[in-house]
Amino acid sequence: MIHRTLVRALLASAALGAAVLLSGCDSDQVSLATNAKANQPVPPKLVAAMTEKDMDMQSPILVRLFKQEAELEVWKQTRSGQFALLKTYPICRWSGDLGPKVREGDRQAPEGFYSINPSQMNPQSAYYLSFNTGYPNAFDKALGRTGSQLMVHGDCSSRGCYAMTDEQIAEIYSLGRESFFGGQKAFQLQAYPFRMTPVNMAKHRNNPNMPFWKMIKEGYDHFEVTKQEPKVDFCEKKYVFDASKAPGATRDPLFDAAAKCPAYVVPDEIVNAVREKQQEEAAETAKLVAKGTPVARMNTGIDGGMNKIFASKIPEGNTGLSEGGDSQTLATLALSRAPGTIPGTVNPPKPNLAAQPQQEEPAVAVATTSSTASPTRVASAAPADKSEGFFSSFARKVGLGGTADATPANAAPPPSPAAAKPKVAEAKPQSVVRIAPKTESKTETKPAETKQAAAKPALKPSVTDTAAAAPAPASSTSTQLAGSAPVVQSNSFDSRFGAMK
């Protein structure tokens, strides 16, 4: 009997593991079914925060995500009817680049407005707990964009998703569950590349995604000025926010993402407030551009980002496309508490190796070619070669013994390329050395994984009420950052599917 039970468990794990490998962030079942993980109570500190902010336990919620800042916000409706910020969670890992998801397999985390209903909540997720973002929405489909099973989940592992720690997703899941129990049919998920501020709009002004970002910023601004969930519709392959029927119309307008927009109006109080906000921010953005605000780097080749609080806990951790990559800041944060358990399988964003050779390009180019040298150098170098060759030839013709002089003159050009080669070679090992510790850190976690063979706990403690593992003492002689040694919990992704390796 025990043997048969064990076999069934192994087969189920194998099937689930195969499904995860095939579908990235996919999960086995999607429902609001009851189980212990999905029914963890809202932490007492969050309940106290709700009371302080005049919120009911089961009032509606709204979620906002920001890639560049690597933050997830949970907003909750107060008794006044407006939404107020309840809590901000640092995102452990997101993948892709700044910009919307376009096709299946591009590893992009989606951007835009999505609706989460109870059927999208997954209490049996392979990533502890999760909910489906609902990508692609009608706008995405109208543009022919593809992709499926893009989640917000635990385990801090992303293949096109937004990944939190298990403790964080347990809290977020409980807040969504309570809002559904309170009667909310679906909560809105707003996903942005960054906070839509004048500074960020100036920094990313040349990004090809800017037209799309300006379009979703309209919804961002509607929420900012009203603190109400904006009504979202689609027509003519664009977003429409807070549309209502036109004066004299007998019914609400019917929207089709791929069709022509119907007649509609937006309430004047919203239009005026949004226009005033946008005019002020446009003026501020123009000032920042005039002052020479640098343009953000595009197409870096880095896969996503990570909040700096998590990057500080991982050997050779890097925030990637998220803000806060200062090593001094990361070293300081390494002494602070992590908001949840960080699995030993976390793969931080790779550092921008493409930026390293750029610093040495001038030195290499000057040594190897004359194309990057100043016009004066090029003009003075050519005559020197010609005149030297002429006199050497003349000396040989008249028999003045110019052969000794000719040898250095002819031998002078070869050393230049030879001298340039070591410079190029010197730049490459520097990049290799930067990423070498990553491979070592992965092998160093293997013993830790073996030691964590104890039975996994059914539930995760609350982020709000419990501290993570204590950081290593500052006086340690280890070269590793304090508190950065990864500890693989028994309920991590790696331990759950270790049999599949």
Side-chain angles (χ1 to χ4, degrees), residues 124-199:
Q124 298 179 352
S125 171
Y127 295 85
Y128 194 72
L129 289 169
S130 68
F131 62 84
N132 193 316
T133 62
Y135 175 92
N137 61 20
F139 167 81
D140 301 317
K141 292 176 182 177
L143 294 179
R145 294 177 177 175
T146 58
S148 60
Q149 302 299 338
L150 280 302
M151 304 279 181
V152 176
H153 59 67
D155 260 348
C156 193
S157 174
S158 176
R159 296 172 185 158
C161 298
Y162 292 97
M164 319 299 292
T165 63
D166 292 356
E167 290 88 345
Q168 287 177 315
I169 195 63
E171 277 192 20
I172 298 166
Y173 191 99
S174 71
L175 292 170
R177 179 199 66 217
E178 292 302 318
S179 75
F180 292 136
F181 289 165
Q184 186 175 21
K185 294 182 179 180
F187 67 83
Q188 191 173 89
L189 174 72
Q190 304 176 6
Y192 300 101
F194 40 73
R195 296 188 183 278
M196 312 300 260
T197 62
V199 172

Side-chain angles (χ1 to χ4, degrees), residues 229-247:
E229 177 183 300
K231 179 176 174 287
V232 180
D233 289 297
F234 312 98
C235 61
E236 298 179 8
K237 299 181 181 180
K238 65 180 182 181
Y239 278 83
V240 177
F241 299 99
D242 290 317
S244 59
K245 62 184 179 182

Side-chain angles (χ1 to χ4, degrees), residues 105-397:
D106 62 5
R107 296 183 64 89
Q108 281 289 100
E111 294 174 6
F113 287 69
Y114 300 91
S115 182
I116 317 300
N117 61 49
S119 69
Q120 293 165 246
M121 306 289 283
N122 187 3
Q124 298 179 352
S125 171
Y127 295 85
Y128 194 72
L129 289 169
S130 68
F131 62 84
N132 193 316
T133 62
Y135 175 92
N137 61 20
F139 167 81
D140 301 317
K141 292 176 182 177
L143 294 179
R145 294 177 177 175
T146 58
S148 60
Q149 302 299 338
L150 280 302
M151 304 279 181
V152 176
H153 59 67
D155 260 348
C156 193
S157 174
S158 176
R159 296 172 185 158
C161 298
Y162 292 97
M164 319 299 292
T165 63
D166 292 356
E167 290 88 345
Q168 287 177 315
I169 195 63
E171 277 192 20
I172 298 166
Y173 191 99
S174 71
L175 292 170
R177 179 199 66 217
E178 292 302 318
S179 75
F180 292 136
F181 289 165
Q184 186 175 21
K185 294 182 179 180
F187 67 83
Q188 191 173 89
L189 174 72
Q190 304 176 6
Y192 300 101
F194 40 73
R195 296 188 183 278
M196 312 300 260
T197 62
V199 172
N200 282 331
M201 298 303 281
K203 285 168 56 178
H204 297 278
R205 59 188 179 272
N206 291 342
N207 194 296
N209 291 304
M210 185 52 72
F212 169 73
W213 291 340
K214 286 182 177 179
M215 181 173 59
I216 62 174
K217 184 181 183 298
E218 187 79 16
Y220 177 95
D221 292 336
H222 277 231
F223 179 72
E224 287 287 314
V225 301
T226 66
K227 292 300 184 290
Q228 298 279 1
E229 177 183 300
K231 179 176 174 287
V232 180
D233 289 297
F234 312 98
C235 61
E236 298 179 8
K237 299 181 181 180
K238 65 180 182 181
Y239 278 83
V240 177
F241 299 99
D242 290 317
S244 59
K245 62 184 179 182
T250 58
R251 62 178 184 176
D252 292 331
L254 296 177
F255 286 89
D256 184 332
K260 184 178 178 180
C261 292
Y264 70 89
V265 295
V266 179
D268 289 340
E269 59 272 19
I270 298 178
V271 171
N272 295 333
V274 169
R275 182 189 299 116
E276 182 179 354
K277 178 179 185 294
Q278 292 179 346
Q279 288 175 347
E280 291 177 357
E281 292 180 345
E284 180 63 23
T285 301
K287 289 180 181 178
L288 291 168
V289 173
K291 289 180 180 179
T293 299
V295 176
R297 178 186 297 273
M298 293 187 293
N299 301 320
T300 60
I302 301 175
D303 182 19
M306 168 181 282
N307 191 281
K308 57 187 177 183
I309 187 65
F310 294 110
S312 68
K313 309 297 179 187
I314 302 171
E316 296 296 312
N318 189 281
T319 55
L321 297 178
S322 295
E323 293 180 337
D326 189 340
S327 59
Q328 182 178 1
T329 303
L330 295 184
T332 303
L333 287 171
L335 302 176
S336 63
R337 184 181 67 172
T341 305
I342 306 176
T345 54
V346 173
N347 181 26
K350 294 180 180 180
N352 185 9
L353 301 180
Q356 302 299 328
Q358 290 181 358
Q359 299 175 358
E360 302 196 22
E361 277 182 3
V364 175
V366 170
T368 56
T369 69
S370 61
S371 60
T372 57
S374 65
T376 305
R377 288 188 178 184
V378 173
S380 62
D385 293 340
K386 290 181 179 179
S387 61
E388 187 176 20
F390 171 79
F391 285 114
S392 298
S393 177
F394 179 79
R396 286 194 300 271
K397 289 179 180 180

Side-chain angles (χ1 to χ4, degrees), residues 380-465:
S380 62
D385 293 340
K386 290 181 179 179
S387 61
E388 187 176 20
F390 171 79
F391 285 114
S392 298
S393 177
F394 179 79
R396 286 194 300 271
K397 289 179 180 180
V398 299
L400 295 178
T403 54
D405 295 333
T407 302
N410 295 333
S416 178
K421 289 182 181 178
K423 291 187 178 181
V424 176
E426 287 172 3
K428 292 181 180 178
Q430 291 178 2
S431 297
V432 175
V433 171
R434 290 177 183 272
I435 62 174
K438 287 190 175 182
T439 304
E440 295 172 2
S441 66
K442 289 181 181 179
T443 58
E444 288 170 0
T445 62
K446 293 299 180 182
E449 293 173 13
T450 306
K451 293 178 182 179
Q452 297 294 330
K456 68 177 182 178
L459 306 179
K460 284 285 181 179
S462 164
V463 179
T464 310
D465 298 334

